[in-house]
Amino acid sequence: MARKTGSHSEITGPRVHAAAQRLFARYGYAAVSMRQIATEVGVQAGALYNYTPDKQSLLFDLMRAHLEDLLAAWRAESCPAPPLAALERFCRFHVRYHLDRPDEVFIAYMELRNLVPENFAVIERLRKRYETELETILCAGQAQGVFALEDVKLATLAVIAMLTGVTTWYRDTGRLSRNRVEMLYWDMVRKAVGA
Amino acid sequence: MARKTGSHSEITGPRVHAAAQRLFARYGYAAVSMRQIATEVGVQAGALYNYTPDKQSLLFDLMRAHLEDLLAAWRAESCPAPPLAALERFCRFHVRYHLDRPDEVFIAYMELRNLVPENFAVIERLRKRYETELETILCAGQAQGVFALEDVKLATLAVIAMLTGVTTWYRDTGRLSRNRVEMLYWDMVRKAVGA
DNA sequence: TGTCTATCTGAACATTCGTTCATTTCCAAG
DNA sequence: CTTGGAAATGAACGAATGTTCAGATAGACA
């Protein structure tokens, strides 16, 4: 029976994952110790094991949650539309979503090699599913003659790399607003695909 | 265990850096121990300290050497040319150079956060210098009306991110030759900048 | 042959690592 | 008030970390 007031588990649990997220993003999975995470949460290291079986699961859970949220958010936002409109929606969504979640994104792209093979396979499958969402749009546009692509698969990877790169330089204090960044990236993608 | 002919230091030294490069690229700086590097070289851990003052210097030297080589190689290859030709040369150079040195590139992009601040500043300055090479080309083309860019600085970052992304998926055993990959990326960049 | 010296070994250093667990704390229901 | 049980402590575990260093080793030179 869960304690209603005074129970810490419903508070501490999320705090453990939030602390791990912030620290993994800043210093890297391998460079962060369980004791650092515990300090950030305000408990002793042993207490973390009430909320995760081990350090690896902490990383895996963060990455899986991020990719599942990303997919769910895109599917909630996307709707049947002509390829050009669908591509614009995808680009703006991708930039906006990634700018809003820099830590999640950073971990998902940088910590793949710290996953044990079994977890890596799960994450790769999710990442591939997201890629396929874009590839499908590009394929449709190519078939309808709206885009002019020499290689749809390469274009998919090139566009995602270009868009994701925004997280490496964007700062809220910079000269460009998020809306303008969205627009500028969409403009370049539109031209890159020949539309 | 025995010196075969002459001194080993001229052989072991490069081997230490080569082993560090391979292991850092595969498992990440923080996840690789000095003993793993030593095993790869075929010596005991203590012997490494004849060739590097510490682990941090091993990482820093690899990153600095990579970026200095990159800049030198580009400056050797580039020549005064109209913006469109210069951009093509840059794109093809960047893709080719990065495909030929996947380990160096991976380390340079993934291990920035493992540099102590003083070393980070040096590496960032070198990276910025390389970025400026592209930005200069885009600026010139923009001034001459050859390119149609809304924001030259963002375009610089977007193009570099797109091109560098090639290292995350390209495999020698894949369906595309290096030459074709070079060509496909150049084609997308050319369109993206409006030329 | 014997000495010199660069190179490497092998053991040791103090920390830190992820993880476990018996014990304590403390709220809430009986 | 008593008591059950979830949550946290704090100490401990063996293993691994980066780094140091006295001493062994063996090619080069006299």
Side-chain angles (χ1 to χ4, degrees):
Chain A
M1 304 311 158
R3 285 183 276 178
K4 302 236 160 88
T5 69
S7 171
H8 284 186
S9 75
E10 288 162 17
I11 297 172
T12 308
R15 295 228 305 149
V16 168
H17 287 80
Q21 185 165 97
R22 181 166 45 254
L23 290 170
F24 287 169
R26 183 164 313 172
Y27 304 109
Y29 173 78
V32 171
S33 72
M34 294 298 270
R35 283 171 180 82
Q36 285 176 59
I37 297 171
T39 298
E40 185 102 342
V41 175
V43 297
Q44 294 296 315
L48 299 181
Y49 292 84
N50 290 322
Y51 307 99
T52 182
D54 48 37
K55 192 186 177 190
Q56 169 75 199
S57 300
L58 220 37
L59 176 63
F60 176 61
D61 289 348
L62 289 173
M63 293 180 77
R64 190 184 47 190
H66 165 63
L67 287 171
E68 283 172 351
D69 290 352
L70 174 68
L71 265 163
W74 165 243
R75 284 175 181 170
E77 172 141 343
S78 85
C79 56
L84 191 62
L87 182 59
E88 174 171 6
R89 197 180 274 268
F90 181 90
C91 288
R92 300 183 88 109
F93 165 81
H94 188 95
V95 169
R96 184 173 358 104
Y97 194 91
H98 280 55
L99 283 183
D100 284 340
R101 293 160 183 82
D103 285 352
E104 285 96 320
V105 169
F106 208 65
I107 292 171
Y109 279 88
M110 302 277 280
E111 302 296 353
L112 286 167
R113 61 183 163 187
N114 287 117
L115 293 170
V116 299
E118 159 196 340
N119 290 341
F120 178 79
V122 174
I123 297 300
E124 265 300 284
R125 206 178 325 127
L126 286 168
R127 212 173 55 80
K128 186 76 187 127
R129 268 211 268 164
Y130 184 68
E131 266 176 32
T132 304
E133 296 284 323
L134 173 58
E135 192 179 337
T136 302
I137 294 171
L138 294 181
C139 256
Q142 183 77 352
Q144 296 178 25
V146 184
F147 304 149
L149 298 165
E150 297 249 14
D151 190 291
V152 171
K153 275 191 183 306
L154 183 137
T156 302
L157 298 166
V159 167
I160 287 193
M162 181 172 131
L163 295 178
T164 304
V166 70
T167 59
T168 65
W169 61 267
Y170 183 85
R171 298 294 173 266
D172 278 324
T173 54
R175 69 189 164 85
L176 298 169
S177 72
R178 284 168 190 240
N179 247 316
R180 179 140 176 80
V181 171
E182 260 182 54
M183 199 267 280
L184 292 171
Y185 269 105
W186 160 235
D187 187 59
M188 291 196 71
V189 168
R190 182 182 49 75
K191 287 189 276 192
V193 301
Chain B
M1 189 170 293
R3 281 186 276 180
K4 276 143 200 158
T5 67
S7 163
H8 274 187
S9 73
E10 288 162 16
I11 296 173
T12 308
R15 294 227 306 146
V16 168
H17 286 80
Q21 185 165 98
R22 181 167 43 255
L23 290 171
F24 288 169
R26 183 164 312 173
Y27 304 108
Y29 172 77
V32 171
S33 72
M34 294 299 270
R35 283 170 181 82
Q36 285 176 57
I37 298 171
T39 299
E40 185 103 341
V41 174
V43 297
Q44 294 297 315
L48 299 181
Y49 291 85
N50 290 322
Y51 306 100
T52 182
D54 47 37
K55 192 187 175 190
Q56 168 76 198
S57 299
L58 221 36
L59 176 62
F60 176 62
D61 289 348
L62 289 174
M63 294 179 77
R64 190 184 46 189
H66 165 63
L67 287 172
E68 283 174 349
D69 289 353
L70 175 68
L71 265 164
W74 166 242
R75 284 174 181 171
E77 172 142 344
S78 86
C79 55
L84 191 63
L87 182 60
E88 174 171 6
R89 198 179 274 267
F90 182 90
C91 289
R92 299 183 89 110
F93 165 80
H94 188 95
V95 169
R96 185 174 356 106
Y97 194 91
H98 280 54
L99 284 182
D100 284 340
R101 294 160 183 82
D103 286 351
E104 285 95 321
V105 169
F106 209 65
I107 292 172
Y109 279 87
M110 301 277 279
E111 302 296 353
L112 285 167
R113 61 183 163 187
N114 288 117
L115 292 170
V116 298
E118 159 195 340
N119 290 341
F120 179 80
V122 174
I123 297 300
E124 266 299 284
R125 204 175 328 126
L126 286 168
R127 212 173 54 81
K128 187 79 187 122
R129 268 210 268 163
Y130 183 67
E131 266 177 33
T132 303
E133 297 283 325
L134 173 58
E135 192 179 336
T136 302
I137 294 171
L138 294 181
C139 256
Q142 184 77 352
Q144 297 179 24
V146 184
F147 305 149
L149 298 165
E150 298 250 13
D151 190 290
V152 171
K153 273 191 185 304
L154 184 137
T156 302
L157 298 166
V159 166
I160 286 192
M162 181 173 131
L163 295 178
T164 304
V166 70
T167 59
T168 65
W169 62 266
Y170 183 84
R171 297 295 173 266
D172 278 325
T173 54
R175 68 189 165 87
L176 299 170
S177 72
R178 286 172 189 236
N179 247 316
R180 181 141 176 79
V181 171
E182 259 183 57
M183 200 266 280
L184 292 170
Y185 270 104
W186 160 235
D187 187 58
M188 292 197 72
V189 169
R190 182 182 49 75
K191 288 190 276 192
V193 300

